[in-house]
Amino acid sequence: MRLESIKHDQQMIMNGIQDMVFIIDVKPGPSFHYSFLNIAAMKGTGLSEKVIGKSFHEVNAESKANLLEKKYSLTCREKKVTTYEDSFLSASNETLYSKTTLTPLFSKNNECTTIVAVVKDITTEKKAKQEADKSRKKLLESNQRYQSLYAYNLDAIVSVDFNGKILNGNAAASSITGYDIEKIQGKSYYEFVIQEDIPKVEEHFNEALNGNFQELHLAIKSKSGKEIKLMLKFNPIIINTEVTGVYSIFKDITEQEQTLDKLRQSDERFRIISEHGHILITLLDKNGIIKYVSPSYQDILGYNFEEYKEKLFLHNTHPEDRPKLNEQILQSIKQGKSCTLKFRQQHRTRGWIWTEISADPIFNDEGSFVQMMVLTRDITMQREYEKRLEYLAMYDSLTELPNRRYFNEHLEKMVKDFNQGVSSAMISLFVLDIDRFKDINDNLGHDTGDAIIKKFAQKVHACLKQDQVITRLGGDEFAIIISDCKERNEVVMLAKRIVEALQEPLEIFDTSLRVTTSIGIATAKTPTITDYCLYKQADLALYEAKRAGKNTYKIKEVTEMKEG
């Protein structure tokens, strides 16, 4: 497997991780520079791939950069995994909390060269703890305020000890249950819970004893034997930082539950919509006319859902997608099977968006088709993500030029078209690199080397015509496939133009550096070549240009190329 493919697979895996992932290069000093951040990190922080290669101080505010350097320096110094918690502002200016794990990676000399940071969002846990802390603080208020709140609260409150025995209760608790609280003091709380709910209550009660606020629905029997539906909250009673019991706070929701049950029984659509609020639900008659649409049309497509009734289902689909969509639906009806299809629909303000449908034909008892149930979901973000992955697979992150994978596929196609007479009567391949780049990289550092590669790519690209493409094969090696030059002289002129353009010094970090190139060119007019042979001949020509003193070009004109 090629290195580029491995890196690509690793990048896809990290982009699939929900936690934020940062890969940080450690340079002498030490100083820390961003090497990679996954999609979750970009969404969580508002950063982009433009920070790649930059230091903490170039990207973050001074205080934030100092904190990061302190944590990362500690990890390098102690040479072990470290963890810390932090808070930060999201891209939407919301305060979020995180738990960061820093894992150092070492060279053969046991020097820390890379740190992988995984940042987990603990906002929910932090906020839940903050809420619990507020509840505990309120319970420690003055006795008079506590008594007022307890006795006259409209919600029922029953205090229970560590063993589940009832200690006390307010008037609302007596009103709801029918019991005189004083007469049931000392009895087990579980005696009043419906048998099937006891395991659930035990689990939540034990969690409350551990200091965790709990909420659940359950049923109890009143003194008269009537079943009562309750919404129950367990609040831990904390005295001197120790849990001594639990407050059981509950409301009678029997009427609300009965009302919901009636609604569920009378309208099956309510259940479907409540479960699939993010999905478009459409019922079509046998002629494809819309008879029902869910209110979610308003949120997902921006149109009032009433506007869709009595219209053809295809009326709002992209013209290019209609024939295939119509064919698939007809085939689904004919076979009596559901079908799935992706197509574009018109959004009121966003234009065409990608959606995916699952269509199920419905038949009556005689086997005749009567209607179609269509579930549709918005997959625009998924499509954009897929396109982004395709881009990352085919383009170089440093120069934003097509990469070796793109080059291989493009060269194979161009050679195939050439051999079949589809393209021009001549095909040429330029392979070029930067003269003495290793010395530059070793002496001036990788940051300068990367900057030179980017400037070099821009210089060469500026010499090309609009349809001519330069690709980065890796390191300082580049390639250009030319199919629009009909004569050798045109190829020579392009090579000279590139060499001359690089005579002007490059401005790198406020410094002028003179960088030259050597170019190897293979040209062919006979349609009996292979992409491997064309590349091999261009590479040999590059070697000859290097031996000739660099800062020049060499051309190999080949009339026939064979493998080996």
Side-chain angles (χ1 to χ4, degrees):
M1 182 180 292
R2 291 176 175 169
L3 179 60
E4 287 83 1
S5 177
I6 294 173
K7 288 182 177 178
H8 166 63
D9 292 342
Q10 291 173 341
Q11 191 176 56
M12 286 191 65
I13 291 171
M14 286 191 283
N15 279 331
I17 296 173
Q18 297 302 308
D19 293 336
M20 293 186 279
V21 178
F22 300 82
I23 297 178
I24 307 298
D25 284 339
V26 181
K27 299 187 177 181
S31 64
F32 306 92
H33 298 256
Y34 291 92
S35 177
F36 171 83
L37 59 165
N38 69 351
I39 291 175
M42 287 186 272
K43 288 182 178 179
T45 63
L47 299 179
S48 69
E49 290 182 340
K50 293 182 179 180
V51 305
I52 300 300
K54 294 183 178 180
S55 69
F56 287 160
H57 285 278
E58 291 176 304
V59 175
N60 303 281
E62 186 67 16
S63 59
K64 180 67 174 180
N66 289 337
L67 174 64
L68 291 174
E69 289 217 341
K70 180 180 178 182
K71 298 296 184 182
Y72 282 69
S73 296
L74 178 65
T75 300
C76 288
R77 189 166 56 251
E78 295 189 352
K79 296 187 176 181
K80 65 179 183 181
V81 176
T82 60
T83 302
Y84 69 94
E85 292 184 5
D86 192 14
S87 64
F88 62 96
L89 288 177
S90 70
S92 58
N93 209 32
E94 177 187 3
T95 299
L96 303 178
Y97 299 90
S98 64
K99 182 177 182 180
T100 301
T101 300
L102 303 180
T103 303
L105 303 178
F106 304 93
S107 66
K108 293 180 180 179
N109 297 328
N110 199 29
E111 293 180 351
C112 181
T113 58
T114 303
I115 293 178
V116 178
V118 179
V119 183
K120 183 177 182 61
D121 184 358
I122 59 171
T123 303
T124 302
E125 295 92 324
K126 278 286 187 183
K127 290 185 177 179
K129 186 176 183 303
Q130 290 169 0
E131 289 299 320
D133 290 342
K134 290 179 183 178
S135 298
R136 295 189 189 100
K137 185 176 179 181
K138 289 179 180 178
L139 290 173
L140 297 176
E141 291 179 350
S142 69
N143 185 57
Q144 183 178 359
R145 183 177 296 178
Y146 158 77
Q147 286 295 336
S148 177
L149 175 66
Y150 187 92
Y152 302 108
N153 200 311
L154 294 177
D155 289 341
I157 304 175
V158 174
S159 56
V160 185
D161 71 11
F162 208 82
N163 298 311
K165 302 293 184 181
I166 295 175
L167 298 176
N168 206 343
N170 66 357
S174 293
S175 176
I176 291 175
T177 65
Y179 290 101
D180 185 339
I181 297 299
E182 290 184 359
K183 293 182 179 180
I184 63 174
Q185 286 177 351
K187 290 190 176 184
S188 173
Y189 189 87
Y190 301 110
E191 290 182 24
F192 306 94
V193 178
I194 298 297
Q195 189 69 29
E196 63 189 44
D197 284 342
I198 288 178
K200 177 171 63 175
V201 174
E202 286 181 334
E203 177 184 354
H204 287 73
F205 183 81
N206 289 332
E207 279 295 313
L209 291 177
N210 289 327
N212 299 316
F213 175 87
Q214 297 291 297
E215 182 174 323
L216 69 154
H217 288 196
L218 79 158
I220 66 168
K221 288 286 187 182
S222 70
K223 187 177 181 179
S224 63
K226 177 184 175 182
E227 184 175 300
I228 305 173
K229 300 285 187 180
L230 301 179
M231 183 179 72
L232 172 67
K233 297 178 181 180
F234 281 143
N235 274 49
I237 302 173
I238 302 174
I239 299 178
N240 294 328
T241 71
E242 290 186 2
V243 178
T244 61
V246 171
Y247 281 124
S248 170
I249 305 172
F250 52 89
K251 288 183 178 180
D252 184 353
I253 58 170
T254 305
E255 290 187 9
Q256 293 95 312
E257 285 292 321
Q258 290 174 346
T259 301
L260 285 175
D261 286 339
K262 290 178 182 178
L263 285 173
R264 294 186 187 103
Q265 294 170 7
S266 64
D267 193 352
E268 183 64 12
R269 288 174 182 170
F270 174 84
R271 182 187 66 80
I272 296 175
I273 295 171
S274 64
E275 292 179 354
H276 303 286
H278 61 290
I279 292 177
L280 305 179
I281 304 169
T282 314
L283 287 177
L284 313 177
D285 68 11
K286 62 182 179 181
N287 297 314
I289 301 297
I290 298 173
K291 292 300 181 180
Y292 170 81
V293 296
S294 61
S296 51
Y297 264 77
Q298 180 84 44
D299 295 330
I300 296 177
L301 291 178
Y303 294 102
N304 188 311
F305 61 94
E306 295 290 347
E307 297 179 31
Y308 278 76
K309 291 182 180 179
E310 303 303 325
K311 292 184 179 180
L312 277 173
F313 179 66
L314 300 180
H315 84 280
N316 197 40
T317 60
H318 196 285
E320 295 177 3
D321 299 334
R322 288 176 190 171
K324 186 176 181 180
L325 180 59
N326 187 58
E327 179 185 349
Q328 289 281 343
I329 291 178
L330 292 176
Q331 194 69 18
S332 172
I333 297 170
K334 182 179 179 180
Q335 296 178 353
K337 297 180 180 179
S338 62
C339 66
T340 301
L341 188 66
K342 297 177 182 178
F343 66 100
R344 287 161 287 182
Q345 290 198 71
Q346 181 78 37
H347 186 280
R348 189 174 66 86
T349 58
R350 292 163 51 197
W352 296 110
I353 65 170
W354 278 98
T355 58
E356 181 180 65
I357 68 163
S358 175
D360 291 281
I362 300 172
F363 301 86
N364 60 20
D365 293 338
E366 288 75 37
S368 299
F369 171 69
V370 290
Q371 62 181 353
M372 177 77 79
M373 166 74 80
V374 181
L375 302 181
T376 310
R377 63 188 183 95
D378 183 355
I379 60 168
T380 304
M381 290 186 65
Q382 176 185 328
R383 293 281 296 191
E384 291 175 354
Y385 177 67
E386 290 171 354
K387 287 183 178 180
R388 179 61 180 166
L389 289 180
E390 291 174 2
Y391 174 85
L392 292 174
M394 302 297 284
Y395 284 81
D396 172 54
S397 60
L398 177 63
T399 62
E400 298 184 353
L401 294 178
N403 60 16
R404 181 178 284 274
R405 178 176 175 183
Y406 179 99
F407 166 76
N408 290 337
E409 294 181 7
H410 188 53
L411 179 61
E412 181 180 358
K413 180 182 183 302
M414 295 298 290
V415 169
K416 182 179 178 181
D417 290 346
F418 174 72
N419 287 338
Q420 294 176 351
V422 176
S423 60
S424 67
M426 181 177 176
I427 186 169
S428 305
L429 173 62
F430 286 49
V431 176
L432 57 161
D433 66 11
I434 301 173
D435 293 332
R436 300 178 182 87
F437 181 73
K438 185 178 183 305
D439 293 338
I440 295 172
N441 220 24
D442 290 344
N443 295 327
L444 301 180
H446 293 290
D447 287 348
T448 300
D450 287 349
I452 288 174
I453 286 174
K454 290 178 67 174
K455 289 280 189 177
F456 177 86
Q458 293 167 3
K459 280 275 189 179
V460 176
H461 185 267
C463 297
L464 304 179
K465 297 179 181 177
Q466 185 174 358
D467 295 333
Q468 295 172 340
V469 179
I470 176 175
T471 61
R472 184 187 179 197
L473 303 184
D476 65 318
E477 186 178 9
F478 296 81
I480 308 168
I481 306 169
I482 304 295
S483 61
D484 56 353
C485 291
K486 298 181 180 180
E487 299 294 336
R488 182 181 185 278
N489 185 51
E490 295 179 61
V491 174
V492 171
M493 288 175 63
L494 176 57
K496 287 182 177 180
R497 191 158 62 244
I498 293 173
V499 171
E500 290 172 0
L502 288 165
Q503 302 308 305
E504 181 181 346
L506 303 180
E507 296 298 324
I508 307 294
F509 301 143
D510 299 326
T511 303
S512 295
L513 296 174
R514 186 168 183 270
V515 174
T516 62
T517 184
S518 297
I519 307 173
I521 307 169
T523 64
K525 293 185 177 181
T526 305
T528 57
I529 65 170
T530 67
D531 50 336
Y532 169 78
C533 289
L534 191 64
Y535 178 79
K536 182 177 179 181
Q537 294 300 313
D539 198 45
L540 289 173
L542 174 61
Y543 177 71
E544 291 180 3
K546 291 288 187 184
R547 286 200 309 173
K550 304 180 178 60
N551 193 24
T552 188
Y553 63 91
K554 292 294 180 182
I555 301 178
K556 281 188 170 293
E557 297 181 4
V558 184
T559 58
E560 182 176 3
M561 303 185 196
K562 297 179 180 179
E563 295 286 353

